[in-house]
Amino acid sequence: MTISQGPREGELTIDQLAARTGMTVRNVRAYSTRGLIPPPRLVGRTGYYGAEHVARLTLVREMLDQGYTLTAAERMLASAPSSGSQALGLYQSLMSPWDSEPEVLEPETLAAQARVPHDPAVVDRLVEMGLAERLEDGRLRIPNVGLLRAGLEVIGLGIPVEDVLALVPGLRQQAGAVAESFVELFRSTLWADFMATGMPDKEWPRMQEKVEAIIPLAGQALVAAFQEAMRGAIERAMGEELGAAAAGHATGA
């Protein structure tokens, strides 16, 4: 029997694996020690890694990039099917609708977009609130472009910067509560049922289909509820303002 003395098709050395997954060799070795990836195929003293290793390390890196802890990544991989690639596909389906490409801007450009004078104190506040990250060259990296652009548009209409920034913590808190409700609904029903059946490999594609279907429905429900709430809030506010204006005119008469 002939034993292969080199890499098989698609196999990678540890250096190639690290480069492919955007990690360092040291990290790959550390994650291997923690059991996040299975041992490589050894030929002499050289280890060769395949698609399963790439899938698992990609999942770990993407979860860490999203702010998850290494422990959370370990839990995901511990409950995933042996290949890990289906868990990665499900994770990407869950995360991709919410991912946005960060934007890098000059502080002066940011002020110009808001149609206000450049103020270093405001930039400091944006960094402090996590709305911007200061790069070494002085430019700003904007993680959530949509949120910041909406704020810039409101500021451009003439509402003071501080008043707009004061809204952000409350918006984040309320949005977080809604997001937690949707995620918990998914965990306590579809995911719990899936886990109860032992998470069979053949059911992963169906679970991914359900995830991809439910995500836009959650967005639609949130928008519809917000529209209803805004309509009610506007009606109440305008009733109060018009009532006060009418009372003022009557008093002036």
Side-chain angles (χ1 to χ4, degrees), residues 6 63 139 145 158 166 199 218 250:
M63 291 188 72
R139 293 183 301 166
V145 177
M199 305 172 71

mmCIF file of all heavy atoms in Angstrom, residues 6 63 139 145 158 166 199 218 250:
data_model
loop_
_atom_site.group_PDB
_atom_site.id
_atom_site.type_symbol
_atom_site.label_atom_id
_atom_site.label_comp_id
_atom_site.label_asym_id
_atom_site.label_seq_id
_atom_site.Cartn_x
_atom_site.Cartn_y
_atom_site.Cartn_z
ATOM 1 N N GLY A 6 2.733 13.634 0.867
ATOM 2 C CA GLY A 6 2.520 15.074 0.714
ATOM 3 C C GLY A 6 1.049 15.413 0.859
ATOM 4 O O GLY A 6 0.235 14.559 1.208
ATOM 5 N N MET A 63 -17.224 34.885 14.416
ATOM 6 C CA MET A 63 -17.903 35.108 15.684
ATOM 7 C C MET A 63 -17.118 36.080 16.560
ATOM 8 O O MET A 63 -17.690 36.969 17.187
ATOM 9 C CB MET A 63 -18.124 33.782 16.418
ATOM 10 C CG MET A 63 -19.134 32.875 15.747
ATOM 11 S SD MET A 63 -19.561 31.410 16.735
ATOM 12 C CE MET A 63 -20.542 32.158 18.056
ATOM 13 N N ARG A 139 -8.305 59.545 10.653
ATOM 14 C CA ARG A 139 -9.621 59.353 10.046
ATOM 15 C C ARG A 139 -10.526 58.572 10.992
ATOM 16 O O ARG A 139 -10.085 58.017 11.995
ATOM 17 C CB ARG A 139 -9.479 58.630 8.711
ATOM 18 C CG ARG A 139 -8.760 59.444 7.637
ATOM 19 C CD ARG A 139 -8.732 58.686 6.324
ATOM 20 N NE ARG A 139 -8.056 57.400 6.447
ATOM 21 C CZ ARG A 139 -8.119 56.427 5.540
ATOM 22 N NH1 ARG A 139 -8.844 56.601 4.442
ATOM 23 N NH2 ARG A 139 -7.458 55.297 5.722
ATOM 24 N N VAL A 145 -22.947 52.469 9.442
ATOM 25 C CA VAL A 145 -23.101 53.614 8.545
ATOM 26 C C VAL A 145 -24.556 54.083 8.503
ATOM 27 O O VAL A 145 -24.837 55.285 8.504
ATOM 28 C CB VAL A 145 -22.606 53.252 7.133
ATOM 29 C CG1 VAL A 145 -22.827 54.411 6.172
ATOM 30 C CG2 VAL A 145 -21.130 52.863 7.172
ATOM 31 N N GLY A 158 -31.543 70.779 11.114
ATOM 32 C CA GLY A 158 -31.500 71.878 12.067
ATOM 33 C C GLY A 158 -31.656 71.484 13.523
ATOM 34 O O GLY A 158 -31.634 72.341 14.407
ATOM 35 N N ALA A 166 -28.298 62.420 22.106
ATOM 36 C CA ALA A 166 -28.968 61.995 23.339
ATOM 37 C C ALA A 166 -30.008 60.908 23.079
ATOM 38 O O ALA A 166 -30.372 60.150 24.000
ATOM 39 C CB ALA A 166 -29.626 63.199 24.017
ATOM 40 N N MET A 199 -30.154 17.426 16.562
ATOM 41 C CA MET A 199 -29.501 18.213 15.515
ATOM 42 C C MET A 199 -28.957 17.329 14.389
ATOM 43 O O MET A 199 -27.774 17.394 14.045
ATOM 44 C CB MET A 199 -28.376 19.074 16.123
ATOM 45 C CG MET A 199 -28.831 19.968 17.245
ATOM 46 S SD MET A 199 -27.463 20.802 18.097
ATOM 47 C CE MET A 199 -26.968 21.980 16.835
ATOM 48 N N ALA A 218 -39.331 39.177 10.622
ATOM 49 C CA ALA A 218 -39.078 39.916 11.862
ATOM 50 C C ALA A 218 -38.900 41.402 11.556
ATOM 51 O O ALA A 218 -39.432 42.273 12.268
ATOM 52 C CB ALA A 218 -37.844 39.368 12.567
ATOM 53 N N ALA A 250 -57.034 82.059 22.089
ATOM 54 C CA ALA A 250 -58.237 82.466 22.832
ATOM 55 C C ALA A 250 -57.869 83.406 23.963
ATOM 56 O O ALA A 250 -58.556 84.406 24.209
ATOM 57 C CB ALA A 250 -58.938 81.219 23.383
#
